[in-house]
């Protein structure tokens, strides 16, 4: 996510990111690792969480990472109770599979694909327009060759 969008999230929801890092075994700074298309989805989810926390003062939530994983939005957080806020996070994770990571339009989580450049299985959520941006035509040929090879085994 670009810095301007990250800054907007930090500014509007600063209390959700004020994690007591010294309590973690592996302290790390807060990070966003996802594309800009999920900004509005993340923003709306954090607004819901913030409103819910105002009415449930005994529950606390500290978010320390937001990232794309297997075509879904994932949120790493710590809470003292969890039932309320983790419900919002679970719903955001589930619905992210229907939002293009690039532009925020309606999309779909794609079937996992093998990337011969990295040797990893990649998962994305893309709209029809941005589906084409995942791999170059050369990489697509390599993937198709890999698929033909695997299916002949």
């Amino acid at each position: 996510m670009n810095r301007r969008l990250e800054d907007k999230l930090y500014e509007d929801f600063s209390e959700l990111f004020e994690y007591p890092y010294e309590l973690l075994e592996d302290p790390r700074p807060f990070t966003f690792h996802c594309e800009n298309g999920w900004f509005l989805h993340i923003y709306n989810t954090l607004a819901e969480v913030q409103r819910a926390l105002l009415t449930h003062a005994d529950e606390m939530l500290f978010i320390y990472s937001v990232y794309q994983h297997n075509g879904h939005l994932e949120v790493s957080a710590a809470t003292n109770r969890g039932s309320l806020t983790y419900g919002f996070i679970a719903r955001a994770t589930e619905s992210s599979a229907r939002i293009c990571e690039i532009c925020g339009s309606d999309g779909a989580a794609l079937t996992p694909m093998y990337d011969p450049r990295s040797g990893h299985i990649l998962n994305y959520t893309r709209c029809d327009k941005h589906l084409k941006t995942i791999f170059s035509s050369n990489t697509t040929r390599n993937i198709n060759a890999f698929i033909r090879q695997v299916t002949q085994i």
Side-chain angles (χ1 to χ4, degrees), residues 77-91:
T79 182
N80 62 331
R81 297 176 65 122
S83 56
L84 175 72
T85 51
Y86 278 140
F88 288 112
I89 292 170
R91 197 167 58 239

Side-chain angles (χ1 to χ4, degrees), residues 3-150:
R3 185 63 183 205
R4 196 178 90 242
L5 296 177
E6 285 184 15
D7 289 346
K8 178 69 173 158
L9 293 171
Y10 288 131
E11 179 183 311
D12 291 359
F13 306 104
S14 60
E15 66 279 356
L16 297 178
F17 302 118
E18 294 173 355
Y19 190 81
Y21 292 103
E22 66 277 1
L23 300 179
L24 290 174
E25 286 181 27
D26 179 23
R28 57 191 166 209
F30 182 85
T31 58
F32 283 99
H33 291 289
C34 59
E35 298 293 337
N36 294 336
W38 279 347
F39 169 78
L40 192 56
H41 184 58
I42 294 168
Y43 192 95
N44 291 336
T45 299
L46 294 178
E48 280 186 293
V49 167
Q50 189 175 53
R51 280 190 301 274
L53 290 174
L54 288 174
T55 60
H56 294 81
D58 60 332
E59 186 162 342
M60 296 183 303
L61 177 74
F62 300 104
I63 298 172
Y64 53 89
S65 187
V66 176
Y67 56 99
Q68 187 271 28
H69 182 71
N70 290 331
H72 291 81
L73 178 70
E74 296 287 336
V75 178
S76 296
T79 182
N80 62 331
R81 297 176 65 122
S83 56
L84 175 72
T85 51
Y86 278 140
F88 288 112
I89 292 170
R91 197 167 58 239
T93 296
E94 180 185 328
S95 58
S96 68
R98 298 183 298 276
I99 301 169
C100 177
E101 301 168 57
I102 305 298
C103 68
S105 297
D106 290 343
L110 304 174
T111 303
M113 293 178 275
Y114 176 74
D115 179 8
R117 293 175 296 177
S118 68
H120 296 110
I121 301 296
L122 304 176
N123 298 59
Y124 297 100
T125 303
R126 296 287 196 268
C127 64
D128 290 340
K129 176 183 172 187
H130 289 110
L131 176 63
K132 299 170 189 161
T133 65
I134 295 175
F135 297 113
S136 68
S137 59
N138 187 36
T139 303
T140 302
R141 282 193 295 275
N142 291 340
I143 290 171
N144 290 336
F146 173 78
I147 292 170
R148 283 193 300 277
Q149 183 182 18
V150 170

